[in-house]
Amino acid sequence: MREIEAIAVDIFGTTVDWRTGVVDGLHRLAADKDLSFGAGALADAWRERYLPAVAQINSGERAWANLDTIHAEALDECLDLFGYSEHFGAAEREEMVRAWYVLPPWRDSLDGLRKLRENHIVVALSNGGFALLTRLIKTAGLPFDAVISAENVQAYKPDVRAYRHAARLLDLPPDRILMVAAHTWDIDGARAAGLRTAFVERPDEKGPGRTADRAEDTTCDLTAQSFTELADALVRG
């Protein structure tokens, strides 16, 4: 761990609480409508379509599309599935997609990232588009040194191309970069690309009654309960 020079941090679920932010955004948009609106169930179904969609792109089954496009397509499908289609027009659906631009950080994220930056370069490495990430990070006040989007290489994590692109941009061997994520699939992809890995537990990521990924099911170099705990572990070496 003493050889680590840069830390690449996942965003959705690892740094920010996507579910709370998306559910709140959906509720705001449906507040003036006379319908029984299950924002939590809709958000969960929406998120579940994410990994299958990026897998299709990584495999070459479909052409490149950025995350906003993927979100918009999945939202249309989910609104139809839940019987909400007729209640939301094109402008409202666009606002729903933009809910992913305004997400609250986890309680430890701001202080933890600042602490990690004391001794390392710390970058966001995410499947979000560059415009999305730039606005999300600014709104949430997240103290990253740089933003690296899968959009830059048109390959989504967990494809090794996304992680190796980050290493090229940072001008570092992959094993001098620590990938930090709360998802087993992300950790597995980073490890396959030669990065070192740290799993941060986010047990509340998927909301009530839903099991998040767990460190005990993940092969990684380090585990932590928070960014601050991870920073302390790195100082100890």
Side-chain angles (χ1 to χ4, degrees), residues 159-177:
D159 191 297
V160 295
R161 290 174 290 174
Y163 307 97
R164 290 173 180 167
H165 176 67
R168 286 193 299 271
L169 289 178
L170 292 166
D171 194 22
L172 288 172
D175 63 0
R176 290 187 178 269
I177 302 171

Side-chain angles (χ1 to χ4, degrees), residues 12 55-56 67 70 72 85 141 177 197-198 200 218:
F12 301 109
Q56 285 184 321
L67 191 60
I70 290 171
S85 288
I177 302 171
T197 56
V200 174
T218 307

Side-chain angles (χ1 to χ4, degrees), residues 31 51 74 125 140 153 178 194:
L51 284 180
L125 176 55
V153 71
L178 181 71

